[in-house]
Amino acid sequence: ISKTVLKNQLQLGISPAEALTNANRQLCENNEAGLFVTCWAGVYDTESGILTFVNAGHNPPVVMRKGEPAQFLVQRSGFVLAGMEDFRYKQQELHLAAGDEMFFYTDGVTEATTEDNTLYGDARLLACLDKNRNTSIGNQLAALKDDIDLFVGDAEQFDDITMLMIHYGGDGMDRESK
């Protein structure tokens, strides 16, 4: 239901902040089970290079600017969707330049756990992304998944691991997911 509501709102052509505010209102209706959704949504203008985005309680994406180490996007995070009926989301902007990449992921990546309950963590994520930057997006995602698998070994995981990476080449976006 969340995916459908969000998709419908984002396809209306309204701002990401309005879309998430409207989606939140809809998802709060009759939510007796108290379920919630985290979301990071953005719209990229290929002419201006501006990414307009809203974070509703989701992990911060990683920004990899050409020639700089990978770092988490400094951002304000709004409340989760379906958590508070009258919450109004605020959008933010980021300018991407040619050669910049962004990595989006679910918390199952950083919270992947070994048998002794050690988390994969933020530092290991950034180090792995930096180590594999000079390859294709597909190779970067595969190397990260391999590193997570090697780290957790045979430990059973209880959360999904979903990853998306985009590369802005100056003439559009390339993206791959895993």
Side-chain angles (χ1 to χ4, degrees), residues 41-53:
V43 174
Y44 188 72
D45 182 331
T46 57
E47 289 183 26
S48 69
I50 301 293
L51 175 64
T52 305
F53 66 91

Side-chain angles (χ1 to χ4, degrees), residues 40 42-47 49-52 94-104 137 164-176:
W40 196 99
V43 174
Y44 188 72
D45 182 331
T46 57
E47 289 183 26
I50 301 293
L51 175 64
T52 305
L94 172 70
H95 181 266
L96 292 177
D100 289 349
E101 295 178 329
M102 287 188 75
F103 174 72
F104 305 88
I137 290 175
L164 169 74
M165 184 176 280
I166 59 173
H167 172 89
Y168 180 63
D171 57 353
M173 286 251 184
D174 298 321
R175 65 185 177 278
E176 290 191 35

